[in-house]
Amino acid sequence: MTAFLAPPMILAVVLGISGISKLRARGSVSAAFEQLGVPPWLDRGWIKRAFPWGEVLLGLVLLCSPGWAAPIAALVAVALFVTYWALIYRALGFDEPVSCNCFGQANTEPVTHWTLWRNTAFLLLAVLWFAASFRVSAPGLVARVSGSDLLWILGMAAASGTLFLSLAPGARRAAEARRAAHEPRHPSQDGVGSGPVMASSPHGDSDPQNPDNDDDYVRRPIPGIVLKDSHGDWVALTRLAATRARLLLLVSPGCGSCTEVIRSARTWRDELSPAVEVHLVTSARQEAMEAVVGEELWDSVLYDREYFLDDLMGMGATPSAVLLGADRLLAGGPVLGREDISAFVEDIKVELEAAPQGPDRGPERS
C-alpha cells in the first residue's frame, strides 16, 4: 500500500517546484497567461499573483490531507492538471510557437509534444491518486512506512530527480543564459549574416551553432516573454521576431548613461533598416518615456512593466541590449553599458554588410 505514496509525493514536488520557480520569476505567470491564451475571466491580476502560492499550497495539502479531505484535494489536483493539459494541447495548434513558462525562468522554451506528454503523465498520476484517496490518505500511508519502505521512497525520489534533470535541458540553458547575461557578447557571422537578421539563407546553409568553433556565439531560443506596445496590447517576442530581426534597447528615462542610447536609437534604426527593427524597451510609465523620446519613435517603444527581461533574460541593468533573430533564436547579446551597446550595433552593421545579398532577398516584412 505504501506504493500509493508515489503519486501525491511526485505531484507535491512538481507543484512545489513550479510554484517556487514562478515566485522567483515575477513575470512568468503573466507571460504564460498571455501566450497560452487563458480565458479573460481567469486572466485577472489577483489570480496571477496568487497562482504560484496556490500551487505550493496544493502540493502541501496533497501530502497533509487526512481521510475525508484527501479526495477533495485530489479532485482539485485533477482539475488543475486537466486545465494544464487542455491549454498545452490548444497551444500546439497555434500559428506561432509559445512558451508555457511552466517552471518559471527554468523553462522558457516553446511548447512541444514533449510538454504535452509530460503533462499527460502528471494528469494520470492525479487521476490515480484521486481513485486511491477514497481508501487511503498520504498521512495514513506515512504512518505505515517501515525502514525498507523509507529506503524505497528515497531511491524513487533520487531516480525521479535524476530523470528530471536529464530530461530538462531548458533549466541548464536558463542558468547558462543568466551567467552569460553579464558578459558582453557580440553577434557572430553566422548569427547575424545569414539566419536571424535575414529570415533565411537563399542557399539554406545557415548553421546557428557551429560545433567546430568553441568561440562562436551560442544561440539560444528566444524566451517566452511578452511586452506591451505603445497601444497597450501584449506582444510576444517570438511573434515579433518572426517577421524580421529586432534589436531591443533596454533603457530608463532617469538613467544618465541611457540618454546617449536613446538619442542614437533613431540613427541606428535608419542604419539597420530594413533588416533589423530597433525598439526601445523600458519599465517606466509611458508618459515618462515619451517625454524623453522623439515622437517618431513612440510607436516602436515596448513596455516591460512586469520586468520580464530581468526575470527571464537577466537584463536587469540599463542600458542593455539584445538582438532577436528572425529564426526565433537569440542572435547577439545581452550586452551592458553605452559603449558596449555602440560597439554591438557596429558589429551588427558589419555583419549586415558582409551578408550575401541574393537577387531574391528583398526587405523583410514589418
Side-chain angles (χ1 to χ4, degrees):
M1 291 294 289
T2 52
F4 280 110
L5 265 177
M9 285 183 60
I10 294 174
L11 295 176
V13 170
V14 168
L15 290 169
I17 293 175
S18 176
I20 292 173
S21 298
K22 290 183 177 74
L23 288 172
R24 295 180 62 186
R26 294 168 294 176
S28 60
V29 177
S30 296
F33 272 51
E34 171 64 22
Q35 294 212 61
L36 294 177
V38 172
W41 60 275
L42 283 176
D43 192 2
R44 296 287 186 267
W46 68 269
I47 293 179
K48 289 184 282 191
R49 288 190 296 272
F51 192 77
W53 295 104
E55 286 188 313
V56 175
L57 180 61
L58 179 58
L60 293 174
V61 170
L62 285 173
L63 292 178
C64 300
S65 296
W68 59 271
I72 299 176
L75 181 60
V76 174
V78 170
L80 180 64
F81 283 104
V82 165
T83 303
Y84 288 163
W85 192 94
L87 289 172
I88 296 299
Y89 179 81
R90 189 179 64 162
L92 289 174
F94 290 171
D95 293 334
E96 300 290 343
V98 298
S99 174
C100 67
N101 294 319
C102 301
F103 295 96
Q105 68 184 23
N107 184 263
T108 60
E109 296 181 338
V111 166
T112 65
H113 284 87
W114 155 249
T115 314
L116 185 66
W117 280 112
R118 181 192 66 194
N119 281 45
T120 300
F122 293 154
L123 176 57
L124 291 176
L125 283 174
V127 172
L128 175 62
W129 177 239
F130 175 67
S133 64
F134 288 94
R135 298 183 56 190
V136 295
S137 67
L141 290 174
V142 170
R144 305 179 197 173
V145 171
S146 63
S148 58
D149 291 330
L150 183 59
L151 290 175
W152 179 83
I153 292 172
L154 291 175
M156 181 188 66
S160 299
T162 302
L163 182 62
F164 176 81
L165 291 175
S166 64
L167 295 179
R172 296 195 300 273
R173 282 196 286 267
E176 293 171 0
R178 298 283 289 189
R179 291 193 297 270
H182 301 287
E183 302 176 4
R185 290 183 178 270
H186 300 287
S188 65
Q189 184 173 0
D190 288 340
V192 176
S194 55
V197 171
M198 306 301 181
S200 61
S201 169
H203 307 294
D205 56 359
S206 174
D207 182 9
Q209 296 187 25
N210 183 356
D212 298 328
N213 190 345
D214 293 337
D215 294 330
D216 282 350
Y217 175 75
V218 179
R219 304 188 59 213
R220 301 177 177 87
I222 297 173
I225 294 176
V226 290
L227 306 177
K228 282 191 175 182
D229 62 18
S230 59
H231 304 291
D233 298 323
W234 288 104
V235 179
L237 293 190
T238 50
R239 297 182 183 180
L240 189 69
T243 55
R244 71 167 78 179
R246 308 281 173 163
L247 175 63
L248 304 186
L249 304 171
L250 181 63
V251 296
S252 172
C255 163
S257 57
C258 296
T259 303
E260 187 62 32
V261 174
I262 294 174
R263 289 175 180 170
S264 301
R266 179 179 178 180
T267 302
W268 291 340
R269 182 190 65 175
D270 295 339
E271 292 175 343
L272 300 178
S273 180
V276 179
E277 182 70 23
V278 176
H279 296 271
L280 292 170
V281 184
T282 184
S283 59
R285 291 180 297 107
Q286 186 168 351
E287 297 81 2
M289 191 63 179
E290 292 180 350
V292 299
V293 175
E295 187 173 353
E296 68 278 2
L297 295 178
W298 285 2
D299 287 342
S300 63
V301 177
L302 300 173
Y303 295 89
D304 185 21
R305 299 302 301 275
E306 302 286 345
Y307 301 96
F308 292 155
L309 291 179
D310 184 10
D311 289 337
L312 302 179
M313 291 185 66
M315 296 175 64
T318 57
S320 55
V322 67
L323 180 63
L324 310 180
D327 54 0
R328 302 189 183 92
L329 297 176
L330 295 180
V335 297
L336 175 64
R338 178 179 58 82
E339 294 183 0
D340 281 338
I341 291 175
S342 297
F344 184 52
V345 174
E346 291 301 317
D347 286 347
I348 295 174
K349 289 191 288 186
V350 170
E351 298 300 338
L352 286 175
E353 292 172 358
Q357 299 293 325
D360 60 338
R361 189 189 298 276
E364 298 295 325
R365 294 177 290 116
S366 59

